Amino acid sequence: VRFIHTADWQLGMKAAHVGGVAPRLREERLAAARRVIGVARDRAAEFILVAGDTFEDNGVERTLIQKAADILGSSPVPVYVIPGNHDPLTPGSVWEHPAWKTMRHVHVLREEKPVEIPGGMLYPCPVKDRQSRKDPTMWIVTGDAGAIRLGLAHGNVEGVPQPEPDHPIARDAAARAGLDYLALGHWHSTATYPAGDGAVRMAYSGTHEATGFGERDSGNVLAVDITGPGASPLVAPVRTGGLAWKVVEKDIREPGDLRRVRADIESQESPGSTLVELRLRGLLAADELREIPRIEEILASRFLFHRLDSSGLRPSPGDASWMAGLPPGTLQTVAARLQELSNPGFAGKRPDGASPEVASRALIELYALITEGSP
Amino acid sequence: MILRSIRASGWRCFADDISVGPFQEGLNVIYAPNATGKSTLFEAMRRGLLDGHRVGGKEVEVIRPWGRALAPAVMVEFSHGGQEYRITKRLLDTPSSKLERKENGRFTSLAEAGKADEMVRAMLSGNPPGRGPSREEHWGLAQVLWAPQGKLAFGRLSDDLLAAVRASLGAQVSGPAANPVERKVEEAYLRIFTPSGRYKTGKDASAVVQLSDRLSAALTEHAQSVTRQRDYEEAARRVEDLRARRMQARRDADEVITTLREARVRADSFQKLTSERNERAARVSEEEARHSELKGRIDGIAAARKEVREATEDLRRIEHDLPLQQSELRDRESETEQAKSALEDVRRERPAIDAARALAEEARQFVDNSKALADLDGLLQKIGTAQEALSRRKGERAELVAPDQKVLNAIRKAVKKRDDAQLRIDASLITLEVVPERSGKLVVLAGEEPGEVELSAGIPKRVTGSPEVVADLPGISRLRASGPAGSVEEYRAERAEADRELKRLTEPFRTSDIESLEALLEKSRALDKRIDATETQIETWLSGCAVDEIRRQRSELQAVRARMLEGHHEWQQKAPDPLALKAAAEDVSTSFKARIDAAEARRDAAQAALLETGRRKDQLNSEAEAIRKVKASLEARLAELTGDGRSDEERAEMLKKTTLAWAAARLKLEESESQLTGFKDNPVDTAARLEKQLQAAEEAADRARDDEKTEEGKIQGLSAQGTYSLLAAAEEKVAALQIEVAGEELRAGAIRLLHDTLEQCRNEAVAAVAGPVEAIATQMFQRIAGGRLGHLKLGDSFEPANVVPEVSGEGVSLASVSGGEQEQIHLATRLALAEVLAREERQMVVLDDVMTFTDAGRMARVMAILEEEAQRLQIVILTCHPERYRGLNGAQFVDLEGLLAASRASDT
C-alpha cells in the first residue's frame, strides 16, 4: 500500500511570538494542509493517516473546523484521523462538529478497534485525555499476519526526555504489536525509528508547517510504501511547509560588520514567506548607527515577520567617533557619561534605571537628536 | 519682554481711563505723589499679563474703584521675541481676554479668552498659574526683574526661573550650538514625561502610557479569554463526569433490576406460603374451638352435677343447724336481761354517793367560811388600831407651829439683810480705840453708847459713834474723833426694816433663832412622814375597799355560817373535817364505780353473745337461701348443657374425634411455618426496597442525563465562541503590546537618562559658572558702597546669602550690614541676574520705590549703574521722589499725576 502519514497540523494555533502576523501563520497552516492533500493526490496515495493534533485546541473557532473538514474532505482517498492530546476526544471537542458527518472520505476514529483499510487493517489509538500515563498502543495485540497491519497513535516515544510520562509509547511498540508501520504524531520534527533490521516501522511525520523559530526538520509529511505484510516500509519525507523561520545572530566587531549584515539580509530569498529573528551584539560605532534603522527598514518592508534585537550592541568604550559629531561642552560630557554607563563593566555608581542597555539607547537617542534633520 | 504702554480703567484709583506710554527701551521714571496710583499701574500691568481673565474672589473684587460697579480693564502693549503684542483684558463683569500681534504695522487678533491668557503666560513664565490669580512664583523672569514696592529683596526663586537662569548661564557654558540639541532633549523628555518626571497622561499621554493602557486592556481581555477557555474545559470535564455518573447510575439500575427480579420470585413464593400458613392457622383455630367447646360442655356437665350435689348437702346441714341456733338465742336473751337488771341495782346506789360528796363539800365551805370570818375580824381590828394612831398623830401635828421651808428661807433672808445692815452701820461708825497704860475710866460724851467706860491697863477699848466720838479721859484729855459725814442713818433704817420683817416672820414661832426654827421644821416634817406612812398602811389593808364594805362582807359570812349551823348543830361544838369527809365520800364513790363497771361489763358481754348468736342465725338463714338459689341455677345450667340430646358416652366419643382433628391441623401449620422460617428476611419488603432503589437509580440516571444535556448545551455555546481562538488572538495582542511597551519603556528610560544626565551636567556647569553673577553683583555693589564689605556670596537660588569683607575673609550675614547697604546688595544682585537673563533678549526691570534707604552720595552711583544697565535693560522706576532721579541721563520722566489731571480735564 502507499499512503501519506501526517500529523500535528495544530490548526488555529496561537503565535504570540510573531505579533501581528499570527493570523497569516494560521492561514499558512491551512494552505500547507491543502498541500498535504495535493501530495497524496500527486503520489497516488491510497489513503492518508493523520496522527493527532489536527487542531491546536478543542476550543478553536467553529469555522476553522469546517475549513479543516473541507480540506480533508477534498481528499480523493480515505483519510483516517485520530484525536491527539491537543484535540482529545472529550465532550464538546472539535470532533463533535457536524462537518465530520458530511465528509465521505474522512473517518474520525473514535474507538480502539481495528478498522479495515485499503490493503490491510488499521489499529487506531485515539486520544481521549489531554494527559495520560497509558501507552495508547497497548490495546493492539499481534494477530493475523495475512494483511498489512498499520498503527495510528499520538504520544511520546520512550527516550524523549519528559518531566512526567505523557501518552508514553514504547520504543518497540510496532514490533510488540506486530505492526508493519506505526504512524505517530506529537513531535513537530520528522523522526524515524529504525528497527534492528534497519526497517523503519515507526516514525513521526512532524508538523506539515513549522510552528516557530528553532524547530528542526519540520514542515514535512511522510510518503510510505509497504509492499506486503512484513515488508520493510519505504518512508520518504515530502516538503509541505511554505514558511521559512530563520534566526540570524551576528557579532559586530569590525567597522563594516553592520553593513555586511545589511547586505546579507538584502540577499535573502523569498523574504515574503520568511520570518526572521536578527540578533545583533557586539560593539557599535557611532558612524554605523544609521545602519540599524536601515536594517530594520529592510526587515520590515520585505519579510513576512522580523524581530531585531540590537540590545546586545554597546557603544565602543574607546570609540572617539561618539564625541566627534557633538558640539563641545555639556553635550560631549553627557555623551561621554552615557558611553561609560553603556559599558556593562562600568564600576561606578549608576543612576536609577541606567542599565547598559538603557544607557546605550540614550546615547543612540542623543545621536538621533543631533543628526535630526541632517541628510 | 519690553513694555510699550499700559492703559487701565475701572482699576482701583483709576476709575477713568488712564494711559501711560509709550515707554522707551532705556530708562523710564514714572513719578507721582503717594496714593496717585503708581503701584496700581504696576499691578494692572502684572495682572494684565499673568492673571487669567476669569479670575474672581475677594482679592480681585477689591480692584473695583470704591463705590463703583466698574469692571477692571487693562491693555498692555509689549514686545517679546522680536514681536510686538497687545493683550487686552476685562475682569469680573463679562470677563474677556484678547491677544493681538502687530503684523505689517497694525495689531491683528491672535487669540482670545483662555487661549490668549495661556499664550502670554507661556511667553513670560515657565510656571504659569492655574485658574486663579498669579502669585510671585508664577511671574517667571519677572521674579528677578520686577521689584514690587518694599520688596527689593527676593526669596527663593521658583524652579522654572532657576531653570531659566541656569539655562541662560548654561548657554554660556555649552555654547550656542548646544542649545537646539538641549531643547530637543527637553522636548523629547516633555513629550514623554511631565516636568516633575511622571509619565504624561491624558490627551497628550506618552506612547508608553498609551501602550500600557492598551496592554492593560488587552490583559483584561486576555484574562477574560483565559476564563472562557477554562470554562470551556471545565464544562467538557463536567460533561465527562456527568456521563460517567449517568453510566454508573445506569449500571446501578441494571444491577438492581437483576436483584429485583430474583426478589420478586422469592416474594411470590413467600406470599403463597404465607397464605397457606394463614389458612392452616385458621383451621387449627377452628378445630381448637370445636374441641374446646365440646370439652367445655363435658366438663361443665360434670362440674354442674358436682356442685348441685354439694349445694344439696350444704342446705341439708344448715337446715339442721337452724333450730339449735334458735334455742341458743333465747338463752342469750335471758342472760342479757339478768345483766341489765344487776346493773340497774348498782345504779340505784348513786344518791348516797352524791350525798356523801355534798356533805364533804359543805363541810369544806363551812371551814372556809369560818376562816374568812376570822380573817375579816383581824383586819378590822388592825385598821381600827391604825386609825386611832393616825388620829393621835394628826392632833400632834396640828398642835405643832413650825415654819415651812419657804418661810424659813424668808427668815434667813431677813436675818441676812439685818446682819448686812449692821455690818454697814459698823463700817460707817467712827471708832476710837484707847489703849490705856493704866486703869481708869473713859467718859463717852458722844458715841453710840454715851457714858462711862471702865479702862483696864493694857486692854484696848473701842468707842464708836457718828458723826463723831467724843470722850473724856478725865483729868487727862478730851478725845474727839470725827470723820467724813456718812450714811449710818440709812443703814440703821435698813436694819430696822430688816428687824421688822424678821419679827413679822418669826412671831408665830416665838423664836427668831434660826436653829430653833430649823428644828421645828424638821419635827413637823417627821410628823408628816409618820402620818403618811399610817395612811398608806390603812389604804393597803383596805385594798381600795371601804371599812363599811368589809364589815358588810363579814355580816354576809356570818349569815352563811348561821344557815350551815342550822343543818349541822354539831358543827357548833366541833368544826367538821372536810378532808376526812371528802376521803370517805371518795371511797364510797370508788367502790360504786367498780361495781357499776363490773355490772356494765357483764351486761355488754351478754348483749354481745346475744348479737353473735342472732348474727349466726341470720347467716345460716342467708346461706340457706343462697344455696337454694345456686342450686336452682346449677340445675338450670345442667339442664342446658345436657340439652344437646346426647349422652355422656356420645359426647366422650365426639371429644376424641375432635382432639385428633385438632392435632392434625397443628401439624400442618407447623409444616408451613417451618417453610416460612427458611426465609431469612421478608422477601416482599426486600422487593419493595429494591423497587425504590431501582426508582432512585433510574432517577439519578435521568438527572445525570438532564445535567449532561445542560452542560452539553453550555459547551455548544462556548465552543461556538471559539474560546481558544479568542484566547490565541488575545494572547498575541498582549505579546505584541508587551514588545511595544518594552521598546517604548526602553526608549523612555533612555530619554529620561539622557535628560537627567544632561541636566546634571548642565547644573554642574552652571554651578561652575555661577561665579560670574556673583562677580557682576559684587562689582556693582562695590561701585555703590566701596570695597569695605568685600565680595557678595549668592545662595543656591542666586539669592544674596552673605558678604565677605576683605579684612576678615569670612562670610557675614546680610543682617549685619546697614539697611541702605542691604537694599544696595539686593539691587546689585537683581541687576546682575537681569543682565544674565537679558543676554538673549532685552528685558524690562521695574523698580517700584525701592531705594528708600540709600543716601544721596550712593544714589548718584546707583544712577550711574542704572544708566549703564539701561543699555541692555528697559528700566522702569516708580517713585514719589522724582528729584532723586533727575540726574539720570537719557531717562524719560512720566508725570502720572499730570496725566491723570489731563485725563480728567479731557473727560470734562
Side-chain angles (χ1 to χ4, degrees):
Chain A
V1 295
R2 174 178 294 170
F3 61 92
I4 297 299
H5 166 198
T6 185
D8 298 289
W9 287 6
Q10 314 289 150
L11 297 177
M13 66 170 278
K14 61 188 164 196
H17 54 307
V18 295
V21 299
R24 167 78 186 277
L25 254 59
R26 286 191 275 274
E27 283 302 319
E28 286 295 332
R29 302 194 76 73
L30 286 168
R34 290 187 195 96
R35 285 195 288 277
V36 172
I37 303 301
V39 169
R41 187 183 294 115
D42 295 347
R43 300 217 164 207
E46 293 169 65
F47 55 87
I48 299 170
L49 298 181
V50 185
D53 283 0
T54 308
F55 297 92
E56 174 69 8
D57 192 276
N58 276 328
V60 297
E61 55 191 330
R62 301 292 97 170
T63 53
L64 183 63
I65 303 170
Q66 185 65 55
K67 285 178 186 174
D70 288 343
I71 291 168
L72 289 172
S74 69
S75 167
V77 293
V79 180
Y80 299 97
V81 189
I82 57 166
N85 68 316
H86 272 264
D87 51 5
L89 193 64
T90 56
S93 74
V94 291
W95 310 113
E96 291 183 1
H97 195 280
W100 303 114
K101 293 175 184 167
T102 63
M103 301 300 162
R104 192 165 54 88
H105 286 313
V106 183
H107 305 280
V108 179
L109 304 174
R110 300 164 195 268
E111 304 292 335
E112 293 172 338
K113 63 182 182 187
V115 176
E116 199 169 336
I117 56 170
M121 292 294 285
L122 177 64
Y123 295 85
C125 308
V127 174
K128 297 181 179 178
D129 291 297
R130 271 194 177 276
Q131 289 163 330
S132 171
R133 290 165 173 261
K134 189 184 83 172
D135 183 342
T137 65
M138 285 303 285
W139 74 274
I140 308 170
V141 292
T142 54
D144 181 16
I148 291 173
R149 288 161 57 89
L150 302 181
L152 184 58
H154 189 92
N156 285 295
V157 172
E158 283 176 352
V160 179
Q162 289 285 307
E164 290 292 330
D166 190 17
H167 299 287
I169 295 172
R171 192 67 179 259
D172 63 346
R176 179 191 52 73
L179 298 172
D180 292 298
Y181 183 80
L182 175 56
L184 296 174
H186 193 52
W187 287 96
H188 289 190
S189 299
T190 303
T192 56
Y193 294 88
D197 58 357
V200 174
R201 298 187 189 282
M202 199 162 88
Y204 283 110
S205 65
T207 179
H208 68 317
E209 180 67 81
T211 58
F213 293 109
E215 256 182 20
R216 178 193 57 80
D217 200 12
S218 57
N220 306 311
V221 295
L222 294 177
V224 183
D225 275 296
I226 304 175
T227 54
S232 291
L234 192 60
V235 179
V238 180
R239 181 78 188 162
T240 52
L243 299 176
W245 297 74
K246 291 192 175 174
V247 177
V248 180
E249 292 191 17
K250 295 288 183 184
D251 200 355
I252 309 301
R253 293 287 165 201
E254 301 290 331
D257 277 357
L258 271 177
R259 277 189 290 279
R260 279 186 283 279
V261 169
R262 175 164 59 83
D264 186 29
I265 295 293
E266 284 175 326
S267 65
Q268 288 285 331
E269 289 179 0
S270 308
S273 58
T274 302
L275 299 95
V276 64
E277 184 172 298
L278 177 58
R279 299 173 193 158
L280 300 176
R281 61 170 182 270
L283 301 174
L284 181 63
D287 53 6
E288 285 196 322
L289 264 178
R290 286 166 184 253
E291 283 298 333
I292 295 173
R294 181 71 187 126
I295 288 169
E296 185 145 31
E297 203 174 277
I298 292 166
L299 289 170
S301 61
R302 296 184 188 174
F303 286 80
L304 172 60
F305 170 79
H306 80 281
R307 186 183 299 148
L308 173 60
D309 179 8
S310 60
S311 61
L313 285 176
R314 299 282 179 268
S316 176
D319 186 357
S321 68
W322 286 98
M323 303 298 142
L326 294 170
T330 311
L331 288 179
Q332 282 199 354
T333 312
V334 170
R337 207 165 285 181
L338 292 174
Q339 199 174 3
E340 271 183 355
L341 291 170
S342 66
N343 181 3
F346 173 65
K349 190 187 175 194
R350 287 179 181 278
D352 286 345
S355 65
E357 187 183 1
V358 170
S360 301
R361 181 63 183 266
L363 195 53
I364 291 168
E365 290 291 337
L366 175 61
Y367 261 78
L369 291 172
I370 290 169
T371 56
E372 204 172 61
S374 61
Chain B
M1 175 214 143
I2 296 297
L3 179 67
R4 297 300 184 200
S5 68
I6 309 170
R7 186 171 179 174
S9 64
W11 204 292
R12 297 190 195 266
C13 57
F14 303 132
D16 300 319
D17 198 35
I18 175 75
S19 180
V20 184
F23 294 96
Q24 62 177 21
E25 292 201 350
L27 281 162
N28 299 272
V29 179
I30 302 172
Y31 66 93
N34 288 334
T36 309
K38 298 186 297 296
S39 297
T40 301
L41 199 64
F42 178 47
E43 181 201 34
M45 177 196 73
R46 179 170 54 76
R47 288 192 182 278
L49 291 169
L50 294 170
D51 278 9
H53 68 287
R54 291 191 176 279
V55 291
K58 288 181 183 171
E59 187 185 337
V60 180
E61 196 64 40
V62 295
I63 294 173
R64 288 187 204 270
W66 292 346
R68 303 191 189 207
L70 295 173
V74 61
M75 184 180 74
V76 182
E77 285 183 19
F78 63 98
S79 75
H80 176 77
Q83 298 281 338
E84 296 293 324
Y85 295 94
R86 181 164 71 192
I87 179 79
T88 308
K89 282 188 186 170
R90 180 184 163 93
L91 308 182
L92 297 175
D93 303 335
T94 57
S96 65
S97 178
K98 183 180 181 184
L99 177 65
E100 296 162 288
R101 187 168 60 195
K102 189 172 269 185
E103 294 171 2
N104 302 320
R106 54 190 290 271
F107 281 107
T108 308
S109 190
L110 191 62
E112 290 188 341
K115 195 67 183 172
D117 297 345
E118 280 177 24
M119 286 178 74
V120 177
R121 288 165 167 182
M123 289 177 206
L124 302 180
S125 173
N127 181 27
R131 298 172 60 184
S134 63
R135 308 272 173 239
E136 204 163 325
E137 66 267 24
H138 303 129
W139 291 5
L141 299 182
Q143 288 174 76
V144 168
L145 301 176
W146 301 351
Q149 193 173 36
K151 289 188 179 174
L152 186 59
F154 58 87
R156 180 175 173 77
L157 301 180
S158 64
D159 289 344
D160 67 308
L161 178 60
L162 280 176
V165 174
R166 285 171 183 154
S168 181
L169 288 170
Q172 311 304 310
V173 178
S174 304
N179 275 345
V181 176
E182 290 179 15
R183 269 201 296 275
K184 284 179 184 175
V185 171
E186 187 69 20
E187 285 165 10
Y189 179 78
L190 290 175
R191 275 196 293 276
I192 300 171
F193 299 102
T194 63
S196 60
R198 293 196 181 91
Y199 277 123
K200 285 176 77 175
T201 55
K203 191 176 67 179
D204 298 324
S206 62
V208 178
V209 172
Q210 290 181 18
L211 284 168
S212 295
D213 290 346
R214 285 171 57 197
L215 176 59
S216 178
L219 283 168
T220 305
E221 195 181 324
H222 177 257
Q224 290 168 349
S225 301
V226 168
T227 305
R228 270 198 300 270
Q229 176 70 2
R230 281 186 189 152
D231 288 347
Y232 169 69
E233 289 169 359
E234 280 301 313
R237 206 164 290 130
R238 279 198 298 275
V239 169
E240 277 186 327
D241 293 347
L242 288 166
R243 277 182 191 167
R245 200 186 302 168
R246 175 170 58 81
M247 300 289 283
Q248 183 59 44
R250 191 64 260 163
R251 282 194 291 275
D252 291 348
D254 291 345
E255 197 174 322
V256 173
I257 285 169
T258 307
T259 312
L260 178 61
R261 202 172 291 132
E262 293 168 5
R264 279 176 183 155
V265 172
R266 288 181 73 236
D268 287 346
S269 171
F270 182 78
Q271 278 178 324
K272 276 183 191 168
L273 275 171
T274 305
S275 176
E276 190 176 72
R277 192 272 315 270
N278 291 343
E279 286 173 10
R280 287 178 176 178
R283 177 81 179 162
V284 167
S285 297
E286 283 173 19
E287 290 301 335
E288 185 180 10
R290 197 172 294 135
H291 175 272
S292 177
E293 192 273 333
L294 188 56
K295 177 101 178 27
R297 182 179 291 269
I298 292 168
D299 291 347
I301 290 168
R305 283 176 181 157
K306 181 170 175 277
E307 285 176 23
V308 167
R309 277 198 303 277
E310 286 172 354
T312 304
E313 181 58 28
D314 289 345
L315 189 59
R316 187 194 61 73
R317 182 174 48 77
I318 288 167
E319 284 173 346
H320 174 264
D321 288 346
L322 269 173
L324 295 176
Q325 287 294 327
Q326 187 62 39
S327 169
E328 187 179 348
L329 184 62
R330 281 196 296 273
D331 293 343
R332 296 293 178 223
E333 285 173 347
S334 172
E335 287 171 2
T336 301
E337 286 304 320
Q338 287 174 2
K340 285 179 177 174
S341 176
L343 178 60
E344 287 303 316
D345 291 344
V346 175
R347 281 177 177 163
R348 274 193 286 274
E349 294 175 13
R350 181 175 294 276
I353 304 302
D354 294 341
R357 281 182 174 162
L359 180 63
E361 177 58 25
E362 198 173 4
R364 184 190 63 75
Q365 289 176 355
F366 181 81
V367 170
D368 290 346
N369 178 271
S370 299
K371 185 175 179 297
L373 266 176
D375 290 344
L376 285 177
D377 286 342
L379 180 60
L380 285 171
Q381 191 176 355
K382 279 193 288 186
I383 289 169
T385 306
Q387 281 178 332
E388 283 171 12
L390 179 62
S391 178
R392 198 167 51 249
R393 281 168 192 152
K394 281 182 176 175
E396 284 175 19
R397 179 67 185 88
E399 286 169 2
L400 179 64
V401 180
D404 56 13
Q405 187 63 47
K406 188 177 172 186
V407 172
L408 186 59
N409 290 343
I411 291 168
R412 280 181 181 138
K413 195 174 174 184
V415 169
K416 184 174 181 297
K417 198 170 177 183
R418 182 199 63 191
D419 292 346
D420 288 346
Q422 185 58 48
L423 280 173
R424 287 190 190 100
I425 290 166
D426 291 344
S428 302
L429 289 175
I430 294 163
T431 303
L432 177 68
E433 188 177 66
V434 178
V435 183
E437 291 178 353
R438 64 177 182 262
S439 299
K441 63 179 179 182
L442 179 68
V443 180
V444 178
L445 298 175
E448 284 292 291
E449 293 172 358
E452 287 184 359
V453 178
E454 291 296 328
L455 296 174
S456 301
I459 298 172
K461 186 66 182 179
R462 285 182 174 182
V463 179
T464 58
S466 178
E468 64 180 359
V469 176
V470 180
D472 282 342
L473 286 173
I476 300 170
S477 168
R478 174 167 286 190
L479 303 172
R480 184 184 296 270
S482 62
S487 56
V488 69
E489 290 309 319
E490 184 186 340
Y491 300 141
R492 282 194 179 118
E494 281 179 9
R495 177 183 167 165
E497 177 60 29
D499 285 340
R500 281 194 297 277
E501 177 64 16
L502 189 60
K503 186 179 178 188
R504 184 184 66 78
L505 290 170
T506 58
E507 196 166 20
F509 312 117
R510 292 189 185 112
T511 178
S512 59
D513 181 51
I514 289 299
E515 286 182 0
S516 301
L517 289 168
E518 283 176 347
L520 281 173
L521 176 61
E522 281 305 310
K523 188 176 179 184
S524 69
R525 279 179 178 165
L527 277 172
D528 288 342
K529 200 178 279 180
R530 287 167 64 188
I531 288 166
D532 288 344
T534 305
E535 283 174 344
T536 302
Q537 182 63 63
I538 290 168
E539 283 171 7
T540 303
W541 285 332
L542 288 172
S543 300
C545 294
V547 175
D548 290 342
E549 174 67 18
I550 294 170
R551 288 197 181 106
R552 186 186 61 76
Q553 287 176 5
R554 185 178 180 281
S555 299
E556 284 174 3
L557 288 173
Q558 274 184 327
V560 170
R561 177 182 169 84
R563 280 197 301 276
M564 285 181 175
L565 286 174
E566 282 175 8
H568 301 282
H569 298 285
E570 70 276 9
W571 288 356
Q572 186 74 41
Q573 281 73 38
K574 186 183 178 184
D577 183 355
L579 291 176
L581 288 172
K582 187 177 180 182
E586 286 301 318
D587 289 344
V588 173
S589 174
T590 304
S591 169
F592 170 73
K593 199 173 177 182
R595 286 202 304 280
I596 283 288
D597 289 345
E600 283 177 345
R602 280 194 296 276
R603 180 202 61 190
D604 291 345
Q607 278 184 332
L610 175 61
L611 286 173
E612 176 60 22
T613 305
R615 189 189 62 74
R616 277 206 302 273
K617 177 174 169 281
D618 293 342
Q619 187 180 3
L620 283 175
N621 282 328
S622 298
E623 284 178 9
E625 188 57 32
I627 289 168
R628 285 188 201 101
K629 285 180 182 173
V630 168
K631 187 180 171 192
S633 171
L634 287 169
E635 285 169 347
R637 187 174 165 220
L638 184 60
E640 184 189 332
L641 290 170
T642 53
D644 57 354
R646 294 192 183 94
S647 65
D648 290 347
E649 291 74 18
E650 285 171 340
R651 288 192 198 98
E653 188 58 31
M654 271 185 75
L655 182 62
K656 267 186 200 169
K657 286 178 183 174
T658 307
T659 303
L660 287 173
W662 183 26
R666 279 208 305 275
L667 273 175
K668 285 192 175 180
L669 177 60
E670 283 168 9
E671 186 184 339
S672 289
E673 298 214 320
S674 172
Q675 286 173 333
L676 282 171
T677 310
F679 291 92
K680 300 297 179 195
D681 57 351
N682 185 334
V684 176
D685 292 347
T686 304
R689 274 198 301 276
L690 287 168
E691 294 275 8
K692 283 183 185 171
Q693 280 181 22
L694 175 61
Q695 188 182 356
E698 284 179 341
E699 283 172 359
D702 290 345
R703 272 200 305 276
R705 175 175 290 282
D706 292 344
D707 293 346
E708 187 183 326
K709 282 180 180 171
T710 306
E711 286 298 331
E712 280 173 349
K714 285 182 189 169
I715 291 183
Q716 292 301 322
L718 287 164
S719 63
Q721 294 177 26
T723 52
Y724 179 79
S725 296
L726 292 172
L727 175 62
E731 204 164 312
E732 286 157 6
K733 192 173 175 183
V734 166
L737 282 168
Q738 281 173 333
I739 290 167
E740 283 190 72
V741 167
E744 281 301 324
E745 281 179 342
L746 175 62
R747 182 168 180 274
I751 293 290
R752 185 198 287 274
L753 179 61
L754 175 58
H755 174 269
D756 292 351
T757 308
L758 176 59
E759 191 173 71
Q760 188 187 356
C761 290
R762 204 162 48 196
N763 287 344
E764 287 168 5
V766 167
V769 298
V773 179
E774 277 183 1
I776 295 169
T778 299
Q779 188 189 36
M780 285 187 191
F781 177 60
Q782 286 184 346
R783 283 179 64 191
I784 298 167
R788 182 179 60 87
L789 290 177
H791 286 81
L792 286 181
K793 279 289 176 190
L794 304 185
D796 290 344
S797 65
F798 299 102
E799 79 284 4
N802 51 38
V803 292
V804 186
E806 286 176 348
V807 288
S808 67
E810 290 182 4
V812 175
S813 77
L814 293 189
S816 303
V817 302
S818 72
E821 284 171 336
Q822 282 184 32
E823 70 179 13
Q824 290 148 23
I825 288 169
H826 287 300
L827 176 71
T829 308
R830 275 187 188 269
L831 289 175
L833 280 168
E835 192 177 314
V836 170
L837 294 169
R839 277 183 177 151
E840 291 185 4
E841 184 184 359
R842 181 180 280 267
Q843 297 288 352
M844 176 182 68
V845 171
V846 178
L847 302 173
D848 185 359
D849 247 351
V850 291
M851 304 304 288
T852 53
F853 299 107
T854 301
D855 60 42
R858 291 191 181 185
M859 193 65 194
R861 290 194 279 276
V862 166
M863 281 191 286
I865 290 170
L866 290 176
E867 282 173 11
E868 287 173 17
E869 290 304 311
Q871 294 172 9
R872 291 174 287 275
L873 302 166
Q874 181 189 40
I875 300 175
V876 178
I877 298 167
L878 305 170
T879 181
C880 54
H881 298 290
E883 70 283 356
R884 301 188 72 189
Y885 296 93
R886 287 295 177 192
L888 279 173
N889 291 317
Q892 173 182 260
F893 283 79
V894 179
D895 178 5
L896 187 59
E897 191 178 30
L899 279 177
L900 283 168
S903 174
R904 280 194 288 271
S906 66
D907 288 344
T908 54

